[in-house]
Amino acid sequence: MALSGGSVRGLAHLGVVKALSEVGINPSFIAGTSAGSLIGAMLAAGIEWSEITALARKTFWPRLLHGQTLERFCAEHLPATFADLKLPFAAVTTELPMKVATMITEASLHPRSVPVALYEASGARLDAKEAAERWRIECVLPSEACRTLGADFIIGSDV
């Protein structure tokens, strides 16, 4: 399953996951970008869509997707590392100006579960000079990452 970014619209991925689960389709691999990577990491951790929905109702998502609030949320609701997830998961970002997609599949999930501009794949925050030279944006729909993880069929949710 490939989940796009979309800020608060990323919550719409939960409707897709709900509809798929109702007909017995569960992803074997998940890739996400931005808000899609937060939802994807939670699903890969084994959190049911209904639990994520309940959590979303208690959380002010526009504030969540920034800085320390996101770090606290990830620390509270996600395992510490990608290795601790129940399903293979990749967070995908694009490095500019080279336009190189980067798949993040290891390291800490705090706050790397949601790749945002100014974060390295290693998780180290870039200083202002480095950020001006190399920065990241979210990939549109990380379907290629699903193929890299081993998926034969990909369901994409693009919000």
Side-chain angles (χ1 to χ4, degrees), residues 56-129:
R57 288 186 177 125
K58 298 188 300 186
T59 305
F60 183 64
W61 280 72
R63 185 178 306 135
L64 172 67
L65 301 177
H66 300 285
Q68 291 179 346
T69 306
L70 176 61
E71 291 181 41
R72 283 190 303 272
F73 184 88
C74 290
E76 185 176 337
H77 299 287
L78 292 173
T81 68
F82 281 74
D84 298 324
L85 295 171
K86 294 181 180 179
L87 291 176
F89 171 70
V92 181
T93 187
T94 302
E95 189 173 308
L96 295 178
M98 291 77 66
K99 298 180 183 170
V100 176
T102 302
M103 232 177 64
I104 305 166
T105 57
E106 50 189 45
S108 171
L109 280 169
H110 307 179
R112 268 64 65 200
S113 61
V114 180
V116 292
L118 309 184
Y119 276 94
E120 290 265 34
S122 67
R125 193 172 186 93
L126 298 174
D127 66 29
K129 182 178 183 254

